[in-house]
Each structure stands twice: as C-alpha cells, then as structure tokens.
Amino acid sequence: MKKLAIFVEGKTEQIFVKKLLTEIAGKLKISIEIKSREKSKYAQVIMKDIVTSETKFYVLIYNSCNDETVVSDMREQYQSLSVDGYERIIGLRDVYPIAISEKSRLQRSLNYSLPKGVIPINIVLAVMEVEAWFLAEYNHFLKLDSSLTLDKIQDLLGFNPQTDDMEARPKPSDDIRNIYNHLGKGYNKSEKQLNRLAANLDYEFIYIKLVNTIPSLGEFIGYIDKFMFS
C-alpha cells in the first residue's frame, strides 16, 4: 500500500481534493483520511476510510485551515510521515492574498522552507485561488442552470471561462460567488455549497483537458500521477 499526504489551506481544497483523488484512482482501491485543524490547535481526524487487504493507495488530506500554516505543518509532520511510510508529500495553497507580482518570490520562499529528506515534497500555488480551476471547468455551470451559458457569463462578468485565462482573474472566488448569486444559489463556502460544487465538476475534463491549459492544476495533478502511476 502506497501512502501520500496532501496538505491544504481550507475546506474548499479539502473537499475538492478528496473528490479529485477518488475520480483519478477510479476502480483502484483508495482509502482516504482527513485531518483538520478547524476550531482546534491540533489536527483532529474527521473521517477515515477503512483499510482492507485490497487498499492500494492511502491518502492523508491534512487541512491546515490557514494558507500561512500549510508549509509549517508540512515541516512539522515530515519526520512522523516518513516514519509512517509515506512516499510523497504535496502542499496546496492559494497565492491570494499575495499579489501576483510576488508569486515567484513566494514560491522561492516556500520551497526554501520545505524540509529536506528522503520523501519527495512539493508545494503548489493555485493562481490566484483554487476557484480559478473551478471557473476553467466551465461545463459545470450548465449543470447548475441551462441558462448559464458562456455568453451569459461574458455578459454578466465580462470574461469567458473557455477562452480567457482564469489564472489571470484577481479574485476567482468572487467570480464564482457572482455567478452563483445570479442563480440565487450563493457561495459562502459552506460545506453544503462546496460539496455541491465538487459534485458538479467534470473531472474527466479537468484531468484530460485542463491539466494542459492551467499550469498550477497541471503541476498538482502531475505530482498525484507520479505517486499513483510511477
């Protein structure tokens, strides 16, 4: 059984990554454990799949509940994860609220802070927020409402998720909120809303198409592929 740990900055990433992993693994047996620091100084186990003799991949999703503590949590947990047999560690956090002009500096700083050891460890920056990936997966908007065409989004917000660069959007979560508000559905990142969004995303489109057009998404899924298929 191969073991992977993914550190994320919040519940949005936690719910999306869990669904993404399940879709990528497909028929392969995967067991997922989620730890969260929500309302707690120390991470608590909030769900844990049963491990059987058929389990091929075991993935810990560790929700730091703060963008600034993702790397420090990775650093603090590195040794114990190594002892527990984990083979790869990935971190995922937004660039926001750091300015895009500071992305390279932020990436260098975070990379410098990562622990050095036998386990491969990487930090991925979603530009500007992970919601840019959801905007780029424009197919799911029609699942929410048949009137929510790309032309309609262009009229509402002045950009086209299919043809424009969603990593250039300064605050993608505001764009998602404005689109959802237009439908009267809201987007305040409640667990119910995040589960609805994650359930509607087209993961085949994300895995086949968007990995080649959204660099940060491609980098993140590339590390997952290296863990599962190499």
Side-chain angles (χ1 to χ4, degrees), residues 52-67:
T52 71
S53 59
E54 296 179 344
T55 300
K56 186 171 183 179
F57 302 119
Y58 189 88
V59 182
L60 167 66
I61 300 174
Y62 189 108
N63 185 355
S64 297
C65 296
N66 188 319
D67 56 356

Side-chain angles (χ1 to χ4, degrees), residues 19-194:
K19 180 69 173 172
L20 177 69
L21 288 167
T22 304
E23 293 290 332
I24 291 176
K27 295 180 180 179
L28 301 173
K29 183 63 178 177
I30 183 171
S31 295
I32 295 176
E33 175 184 359
I34 297 177
K35 289 184 176 179
S36 176
R37 291 182 59 180
E38 185 176 12
K39 300 177 182 178
S40 176
K41 182 177 180 181
Y42 301 103
Q44 307 292 318
V45 177
I46 60 173
M47 70 83 57
K48 187 174 184 179
D49 289 332
I50 296 173
V51 175
T52 71
S53 59
E54 296 179 344
T55 300
K56 186 171 183 179
F57 302 119
Y58 189 88
V59 182
L60 167 66
I61 300 174
Y62 189 108
N63 185 355
S64 297
C65 296
N66 188 319
D67 56 356
E68 294 184 352
T69 56
V70 170
V71 166
S72 59
D73 284 343
M74 294 168 74
R75 190 167 53 242
E76 291 175 5
Q77 299 296 319
Y78 186 86
Q79 187 58 37
S80 62
L81 291 171
S82 177
V83 171
D84 288 341
Y86 282 80
E87 298 179 33
R88 178 171 284 274
I89 299 174
I90 309 168
L92 174 64
R93 56 155 288 178
D94 295 339
V95 171
Y96 186 89
I98 306 296
I100 188 61
S101 60
E102 295 294 314
K103 175 182 176 290
S104 296
R105 183 195 60 78
L106 174 63
Q107 185 79 65
R108 287 195 300 271
S109 174
L110 295 175
N111 286 339
Y112 181 79
S113 299
L114 292 175
K116 307 298 185 293
V118 296
I119 309 175
I121 184 168
N122 304 93
I123 180 75
V124 176
L125 293 175
V127 184
M128 293 285 297
E129 302 172 297
V130 74
E131 279 86 353
W133 302 353
F134 307 155
L135 286 172
E137 198 296 272
Y138 49 82
N139 297 309
H140 85 278
F141 293 122
L142 286 176
K143 295 181 183 177
L144 296 171
D145 193 292
S146 59
S147 70
L148 201 53
T149 63
L150 294 173
D151 287 340
K152 184 66 176 179
I153 293 173
Q154 176 85 55
D155 290 341
L156 287 172
L157 300 177
F159 67 86
N160 186 320
Q162 182 179 27
T163 57
D164 293 337
D165 180 4
M166 293 301 96
E167 288 196 325
R169 300 299 301 168
K171 191 76 165 60
S173 60
D174 283 351
D175 294 328
I176 289 284
R177 182 176 297 108
N178 289 333
I179 292 172
Y180 278 50
N181 283 344
H182 173 73
L183 300 175
K185 295 182 180 296
Y187 183 69
N188 59 15
K189 300 194 179 187
S190 69
E191 188 161 345
K192 179 181 178 181
Q193 292 175 352
L194 293 172

